[in-house]
Amino acid sequence: MKIMNKNGITGINSALAGLETRGKELCPDSFYTASQREFWKLDSPIMVPEIPVKSLDFGLASEFAPEVIEKLACFLKGHELMRERRPASEEHSLHFAKALVGYAADYVHVVRLDFRFSSGSGEMLTRGTTDYYPAYKTDRIFYKSRIVPVRKGSVPSLIDSVRLHESDSVESDGRLFTSAVFDERESRRRSMEYMEQLGRPFFGISPRVYQILFHDYFTLCLNLPCPIKSNVEKALRIFDPVFIYFCYLSGIDGLDLSPEVGEKYREYFSVEVQPGGSVPVFSDVFMEEMRTFFGAYRLVVDDEMALEDIKKLEMNFD
């Protein structure tokens, strides 16, 4: 059993709590690399110390995380540190969660910050060893920012997701293996399928380039590159009915999809009885709302970004 560093956890959560008294901050821009990783560009560099190859301990993280939290204040207000990482394999990340309330399901905004040194992380300050990653200086914080559907009344930090899939099958050497863990490639494949199923005309970015709808935690999630409060509110209004729409299509168990629930979502879609069964159909008004929201996601590039092989990832509602 792992022993949590309570002082480290307390220090990180204290830094998060301190954000509540602050006013409006300038939000970092989001960028997307050729290797399909997202990062926020800070207004000034930070120093990340040597991190053990085995895991980033919360005590060590508390030495530099408060500075990062301060620079990401507009994204992390209202969040708490997750004491258990989800997924647990991301041992060099800090995970933060904020509860959001839906109707048939609840939601959690999860921010995962990756501090493991890798290509593109920044300026290496030490060489590193077999036991420790190099210390480095960087203005890039690689992240994952997702809205995740969870079961009503569940503990947000446990990420008890409403699963659309329980496992995945992978073929290798003519044999079929079933795994409860999705790798990034398989997640992207399923993510593209979700976007294709919803309909390409809603998205200004090709599903093959960037997946706005993303398969994670065994379910459908929403990528949110600029998670300021107003964007989170817009996202929840759109994503809640979109997720319930996919629940109807999947016929999943354990979620209340009764006629009464369908009535609550009537402004978004109707459930029509057809020969093959009940089929959800989006309303014209909500389809226009989806076009506006998903169309706000844009990838832009200038000459300097082209040299770095990165693109700016925007959510532009103007």
Side-chain angles (χ1 to χ4, degrees), residues 39-288:
F39 69 86
W40 285 315
K41 187 175 178 63
L42 305 179
D43 58 355
S44 59
I46 63 162
M47 306 292 184
V48 179
E50 292 183 340
I51 293 174
V53 170
K54 185 177 180 180
S55 177
L56 171 59
D57 175 77
F58 288 121
L60 176 60
S62 68
E63 296 178 10
F64 63 90
E67 182 181 6
V68 177
I69 289 169
E70 181 179 349
K71 291 178 179 296
L72 299 178
C74 59
F75 298 153
L76 293 179
K77 280 185 179 180
H79 292 69
E80 290 188 0
L81 176 70
M82 293 170 56
R83 293 171 178 245
E84 297 291 338
R85 295 172 171 100
R86 299 278 195 275
S89 59
E90 294 187 358
E91 286 283 359
H92 305 92
S93 299
L94 294 179
H95 296 190
F96 305 91
K98 180 180 180 179
L100 304 170
V101 179
Y103 182 72
D106 284 335
Y107 298 84
V108 178
H109 178 228
V110 179
V111 175
R112 289 144 54 183
L113 306 180
D114 185 3
F115 295 102
R116 180 174 58 180
F117 182 83
S118 61
S119 175
S121 289
E123 178 187 350
M124 186 186 299
L125 301 178
T126 63
R127 294 180 62 87
T129 66
T130 55
D131 295 320
Y132 288 88
Y133 288 107
Y136 62 97
K137 177 181 178 181
T138 186
D139 61 359
R140 296 183 176 188
I141 300 295
F142 287 93
Y143 75 90
K144 292 173 184 175
S145 168
R146 289 174 184 155
I147 292 182
V148 186
V150 297
R151 298 189 182 279
K152 294 292 292 184
S154 61
V155 178
S157 62
L158 296 182
I159 317 297
D160 185 12
S161 61
V162 180
R163 299 186 175 193
L164 295 187
H165 298 276
E166 292 294 335
S167 63
D168 181 41
S169 296
V170 179
E171 186 172 344
S172 177
D173 298 327
R175 300 177 64 187
L176 197 63
F177 297 87
T178 299
S179 172
V181 178
F182 288 87
D183 62 26
E184 197 74 6
R185 183 187 305 175
E186 179 61 21
S187 289
R188 291 186 189 281
R189 182 186 70 79
R190 288 199 184 277
S191 303
M192 288 187 281
E193 289 177 355
Y194 286 135
M195 292 178 67
E196 294 282 359
Q197 193 170 10
L198 191 61
R200 265 200 190 184
F202 292 116
F203 305 102
I205 302 175
S206 167
R208 293 187 174 277
V209 176
Y210 178 78
Q211 296 80 45
I212 298 173
L213 299 178
F214 200 89
H215 183 79
D216 204 353
Y217 300 100
F218 298 98
T219 193
L220 173 67
C221 302
L222 177 72
N223 269 337
L224 202 62
C226 183
I228 58 175
K229 183 179 179 181
S230 60
N231 285 352
V232 171
E233 291 171 351
K234 290 184 179 77
L236 187 60
R237 171 173 172 80
I238 296 297
F239 184 58
D240 181 34
V242 166
F243 177 70
I244 301 304
Y245 169 86
F246 275 97
C247 287
Y248 273 102
L249 291 180
S250 301
I252 66 169
D253 296 326
L255 191 67
D256 180 10
L257 298 179
S258 63
E260 291 76 14
V261 171
E263 184 68 18
K264 291 290 184 180
Y265 289 94
R266 187 171 60 177
E267 68 173 292
Y268 307 109
F269 60 80
S270 59
V271 180
E272 299 181 358
V273 179
Q274 298 182 3
S278 298
V279 177
V281 178
F282 286 121
S283 69
D284 291 341
V285 172
F286 186 61
M287 284 196 291
E288 190 58 37

